[in-house]
Amino acid sequence: MACDDARKLVGTWDLLSYRVTLADGQVIEPLGLRPRGTGIYTEQGTVAAQLMRTGRPRLGTARGIAGLDLEPRLLAQAFTGYIAYSGRYVVDALSAIVDHHVECSLVPDWEGTTLRRGYAFENELLVLRPSPSEGRHAELRWRRRTG
């Protein structure tokens, strides 16, 4: 079974939604109503994920941010609306868990950690559920990219 689930994960996935249910039942969408994102699982065991809020303010440069003196407020808005990391993944099909062993991340605190995700395949979708934290339950829905 582990092999089947690992094979089903392999590919490129487009983010459809990212919702968090708080302890009081309120539902929030941390990256807005129309988040964008790409998740990639390779046969060799590499995972890469980039998720973003659409409509983030422009920084006014097409050269990237390395070495530029940009307004801290704009950098904070860009940073808080973006999630990016990569590393290795391991599937535990019996528990329906995929562990993302983070090697590189926009959030430095994630480097060297494991992000545990419950997973399920619902029709054509991949549903990932990070481990609950402080009464928060998150769910990310992805559709396999075709063509």
Side-chain angles (χ1 to χ4, degrees), residues 58-106:
R58 300 285 183 188
L59 298 176
T61 178
R63 298 182 320 179
I65 61 172
L68 296 179
D69 185 25
L70 296 171
E71 187 178 335
R73 178 184 59 80
L74 290 176
L75 286 175
Q77 288 175 337
F79 180 85
T80 57
Y82 207 90
I83 299 168
Y85 66 89
S86 64
R88 309 285 294 162
Y89 73 94
V90 176
V91 175
D92 176 353
L94 294 176
S95 300
I97 298 287
V98 59
D99 285 330
H100 296 175
H101 300 289
V102 180
E103 297 169 359
C104 302
S105 176
L106 179 65

Side-chain angles (χ1 to χ4, degrees), residues 114-125:
T114 298
L115 302 178
R116 178 158 279 193
R117 308 287 186 242
Y119 70 86
F121 297 101
E122 296 180 3
N123 299 318
E124 299 298 315
L125 302 182

Side-chain angles (χ1 to χ4, degrees), residues 11-111:
T12 302
W13 300 85
D14 292 318
L15 182 65
L16 299 176
S17 66
Y18 173 22
R19 294 189 176 101
V20 176
T21 303
L22 305 178
D24 65 3
Q26 177 185 2
V27 176
I28 61 171
E29 297 182 87
L31 297 179
L33 297 175
R34 290 185 209 90
R36 290 184 57 197
T38 303
I40 300 170
Y41 291 94
T42 70
E43 289 180 19
Q44 295 77 23
T46 298
V47 61
Q50 295 200 39
L51 299 78
M52 65 176 251
R53 171 184 294 276
T54 55
R56 293 176 301 144
R58 300 285 183 188
L59 298 176
T61 178
R63 298 182 320 179
I65 61 172
L68 296 179
D69 185 25
L70 296 171
E71 187 178 335
R73 178 184 59 80
L74 290 176
L75 286 175
Q77 288 175 337
F79 180 85
T80 57
Y82 207 90
I83 299 168
Y85 66 89
S86 64
R88 309 285 294 162
Y89 73 94
V90 176
V91 175
D92 176 353
L94 294 176
S95 300
I97 298 287
V98 59
D99 285 330
H100 296 175
H101 300 289
V102 180
E103 297 169 359
C104 302
S105 176
L106 179 65
V107 178
D109 303 61
W110 288 4
E111 293 172 20

